[in-house]
Amino acid sequence: MSNRFLKIHPSDNVYVALTDLKAGEKLTLNGGSLTLVDDVPAKHKFLEKPLQPEEEVIMYGTVVGKALSPIKEGGVIGTHNIKHKAAPYSGRTKTYQWTPPDVSKFKNKTFMGYHRADGQVGTANYWLVIPLVFCENRNVEVISKAFIEELGFSKPDAYKNYVHELVSLYKEGKTDKISSISFQPAAENGHSRIFKNIDGIKFLTHQGGCGGTRQDSQTLCALLAGYIHNPNVAGATILSLGCQNAEIKTLREKLQTLDPKGTKPVIILDQQQSGTEQELLTQAIQKTFFELIEANKIERKPAPLSKLVVGLKCGGSDGFSGISANPAIGHTSDVLVTLGGSTILSEFPELCGVEQELINRCEEDSAAELFIKLMRTYSNAAEAVGSGFDMNPSPGNIKDGLITDAIKSAGAAKKGGNAPVADVLQYAEYIKKPGLNLLCTPGNDVESTTGTTGSGAQIILFTTGLGTPTGNPVSQVIKIATNTKLAQRMPDIIDYNTGGIISGEKTIEQEGEDILDFIIEVASGRVTAKAVELNQDDFIPWKRGVSL
């Protein structure tokens, strides 16, 4: 492709600028020529043909907007002259067929994982400490302080050391020297890990469990059960107050559904039954310590790639997301699905306008019908509170070329590749079928990654064009840049750069396969994702409905 501009689909009437283009430039395209009438910043789009008001903007081969006013040939599009419009959708309109990619180079590859008794394989080995209700958050934090440093999981606090230096200068009356003090990264912690085969203890504090609707608490229990069942988890310690909506029996029912044989150790303590806070905490710490001894006996062993469940997510997206990082991980998804593995595409507000394609890709009519129901219910709920999917793009998205939700969605859907849709999952529903799964979550970064992990993902591929530090306590979140400038500007959060697609140095297929190789390294514990290094343990359950 040209390294200056790109037409994504033959039926499109817009081009994407891959670099800054100036008004008055004469471009050669499709054997003809076009003169730009506006400056077109990189990531933004210009028209191939003039549009009149109400005429449609076509991109990725689908409707992504409509003109608000006359726009000249070679004119840039933006919120000033187009608005959101999406293609309608209904039931299945045609039979879907696809040609799986060649996966011969991956046929015999394995990753080194933690094999669980139920047949799942983890890419990490964590113990969870979870409050069933926000009233127990403080007690969870007390346990955290007791365990983290003593077990060798804490990291030196370089910022605390930095403040210590500033305080010292202040006390010495040398405030004039404060601005000259440079920040120094902390040295490695000298306190080594006690349990070599445990990657960490994760503390999932939240603001739910009571005060909302009963449905919210049911959903929270299903989500927490999914986290405990996730193959990256060895077991869990649960703290209950005793009177909350998210009852112990509800959590046990959800766990029983996922793991009928009860193969994982789960410690459940009720504060109102334990008596004093001291009794509760000493019991929790002692029981957890004994289980950590057992969990530490598990060692990594080879596992086939079919045991991988990989989430597909984007956040801080830009105008390059849909032509570099997203289709690259879409190819990764196709390869993994062909190998018998599983992928999870979430963010339903960012599938607006591409519903019909996904409906046609559903292998089962029941899945297609559920997808339609979930999309319409979600859209109606958003409109009922004075919003709508059309309001999804953030100011940063718009600034960097994602002018409408349909443009954003058409590019976001590329994360799902071309494989058939094996299943459609409701929020907090655990994955049941190998292949590509659609999971109903918000587009919000943390609410989405929280849900994807609760549905069984061990690893999440997270594409970004603007940069975001989002991580997860259980899934290893791999951050993938859409462009080289971002990768160079924020190397502390970016794991992989697909900017070579924009420059023309690499193909989507090459990047997709290289990303799978990178996944294998992370899954085997040989490479640590940047979000894990930063202890970016973001956890926000999706709460719907009213508070009572």
Side-chain angles (χ1 to χ4, degrees):
M1 66 181 179
S2 163
N3 61 1
R4 302 196 70 226
F5 53 88
L6 169 70
K7 187 176 187 178
I8 297 171
H9 188 276
S11 64
D12 291 357
N13 57 11
V14 295
Y15 281 78
V16 183
L18 302 182
T19 188
D20 292 342
L21 303 174
K22 295 296 183 182
E25 279 196 59
K26 190 171 185 179
L27 309 179
T28 300
L29 39 90
N30 289 338
S33 63
L34 176 150
T35 301
L36 296 177
V37 296
D38 299 305
D39 289 341
V40 186
K43 308 179 185 180
H44 285 259
K45 293 85 184 167
F46 60 90
L47 284 179
E48 180 181 36
K49 303 289 184 183
L51 287 184
Q52 296 302 312
E54 299 299 315
E55 288 190 311
E56 295 175 339
V57 178
I58 308 297
M59 189 175 171
Y60 297 99
T62 191
V63 179
V64 296
K66 65 179 181 179
L68 293 172
S69 58
I71 312 174
K72 296 178 180 179
E73 174 184 293
V76 69
I77 61 171
T79 54
H80 63 289
N81 59 13
I82 74 164
K83 69 177 296 184
H84 171 81
K85 182 179 181 180
Y89 61 95
S90 57
R92 202 192 299 258
T93 58
K94 62 182 178 181
T95 302
Y96 184 74
Q97 293 183 331
W98 82 303
T99 302
D102 178 10
V103 296
S104 54
K105 68 176 285 188
F106 292 100
K107 277 286 187 183
N108 298 317
K109 289 192 175 185
T110 60
F111 69 97
M112 297 295 290
Y114 295 97
H115 292 247
R116 306 300 181 190
D118 62 3
Q120 296 185 102
V121 181
T123 61
N125 195 29
Y126 294 120
W127 188 270
L128 302 183
V129 180
I130 308 173
L132 263 183
V133 61
F134 59 81
C135 308
E136 291 298 317
N137 282 349
R138 177 188 170 278
N139 287 331
V140 169
E141 289 165 1
V142 170
I143 296 172
S144 171
K145 290 177 182 177
F147 268 134
I148 294 300
E149 185 171 344
E150 287 302 313
L151 296 184
F153 292 120
S154 64
K155 294 183 178 180
D157 191 337
Y159 296 101
K160 183 177 179 180
N161 296 339
Y162 183 57
V163 172
H164 179 76
E165 286 192 63
L166 302 184
V167 170
S168 296
L169 289 174
Y170 171 74
K171 287 181 175 180
E172 294 169 9
K174 300 177 180 178
T175 54
D176 58 313
K177 295 186 180 298
I178 286 178
S179 59
S180 64
I181 295 296
S182 59
F183 176 79
Q184 297 295 326
E188 285 298 313
N189 188 3
H191 197 165
S192 61
R193 274 169 37 186
I194 302 301
F195 299 117
K196 304 298 183 185
N197 293 322
I198 296 177
D199 294 296
I201 307 176
K202 300 296 184 175
F203 303 86
L204 275 57
T205 55
H206 56 84
Q207 302 304 314
C210 207
T213 63
R214 295 296 190 273
Q215 293 89 336
D216 281 337
S217 292
Q218 287 275 339
T219 300
L220 177 64
C221 286
L223 179 71
L224 297 179
Y227 268 71
I228 296 167
H229 190 56
N230 188 293
N232 286 1
V233 173
T237 301
I238 311 297
L239 298 189
S240 167
L241 178 59
C243 57
Q244 71 276 352
N245 288 342
E247 296 181 88
I248 291 173
K249 69 175 184 179
T250 305
L251 178 65
R252 282 185 169 140
E253 288 168 1
K254 302 295 185 184
L255 285 170
Q256 173 72 17
T257 300
L258 296 176
D259 184 13
K261 295 182 179 180
T263 58
K264 282 187 183 177
V266 180
I267 302 163
I268 301 179
L269 297 170
D270 187 309
Q271 184 170 7
Q272 291 172 349
Q273 296 300 316
S274 296
T276 67
E277 186 177 279
Q278 178 181 314
E279 289 175 47
L280 173 76
L281 291 172
T282 53
Q283 278 190 73
I285 290 170
Q286 186 181 96
K287 288 176 181 290
T288 301
F289 191 81
F290 276 122
E291 292 297 348
L292 291 172
I293 293 172
E294 293 303 308
N296 190 53
K297 295 175 182 178
I298 306 170
E299 296 183 350
R300 290 184 183 269
K301 296 178 181 178
L305 301 187
S306 59
K307 292 292 184 179
L308 288 173
V309 180
V310 175
L312 309 168
K313 173 76 180 85
C314 56
S317 300
D318 71 348
F320 286 162
S321 293
I323 57 180
S324 61
N326 287 355
I329 70 170
H331 184 68
T332 306
S333 175
D334 286 345
V335 172
L336 194 54
V337 165
T338 304
L339 291 166
S342 305
T343 56
I344 301 175
L345 177 64
S346 57
E347 304 180 277
F348 273 25
E350 296 180 16
L351 298 178
C352 176
V354 294
E355 294 97 338
Q356 192 63 58
E357 177 199 342
L358 292 169
I359 290 165
N360 291 339
R361 285 167 60 180
C362 287
E363 293 180 322
E364 303 289 340
D365 288 339
S366 58
E369 291 165 4
L370 178 58
F371 178 62
I372 293 171
K373 179 183 176 181
L374 291 172
M375 286 296 291
R376 288 186 172 154
T377 300
Y378 198 161
S379 178
N380 291 339
E383 291 173 6
V385 294
S387 188
F389 287 171
D390 62 303
M391 298 178 73
N392 176 267
S394 70
N397 293 152
I398 294 169
K399 179 177 177 292
D400 271 54
L402 301 180
I403 307 303
T404 70
D405 187 53
I407 291 177
K408 186 177 181 181
S409 296
K414 293 298 179 183
K415 303 191 301 290
N418 299 297
V421 175
D423 205 3
V424 175
L425 307 173
Q426 302 208 44
Y427 183 75
E429 184 178 2
Y430 206 83
I431 191 170
K432 303 181 292 292
K433 297 181 181 180
L436 174 64
N437 289 254
L438 305 182
L439 172 65
C440 184
T441 76
N444 175 285
D445 291 353
V446 179
E447 288 176 326
S448 179
T449 52
T450 296
T452 302
T453 303
S455 291
Q458 310 116 313
I459 284 174
I460 296 175
L461 299 178
F462 193 120
T463 67
T464 182
L466 305 177
T468 171
T470 301
N472 183 267
V474 169
S475 289
Q476 293 141 301
V477 179
I478 297 173
K479 226 53 78 33
I480 301 173
T482 70
N483 62 91
T484 301
K485 286 183 179 179
L486 170 63
Q488 293 172 341
R489 187 173 68 253
M490 304 181 79
D492 58 325
I493 66 168
I494 296 299
D495 296 286
Y496 192 95
N497 175 31
T498 59
I501 295 174
I502 302 299
S503 64
E505 298 168 88
K506 295 186 77 172
T507 66
I508 288 169
E509 292 74 21
Q510 286 172 333
E511 291 285 32
E513 293 182 6
D514 287 349
I515 289 169
L516 183 51
D517 280 328
F518 189 82
I519 289 174
I520 293 170
E521 293 303 296
V522 172
S524 300
R526 294 187 289 264
V527 171
T528 303
K530 300 292 179 61
V532 176
E533 287 182 356
L534 293 171
N535 286 328
Q536 196 75 38
D537 292 341
D538 302 310
F539 179 78
I540 303 178
W542 183 23
K543 181 181 176 181
R544 292 165 285 181
V546 298
S547 285
L548 298 175

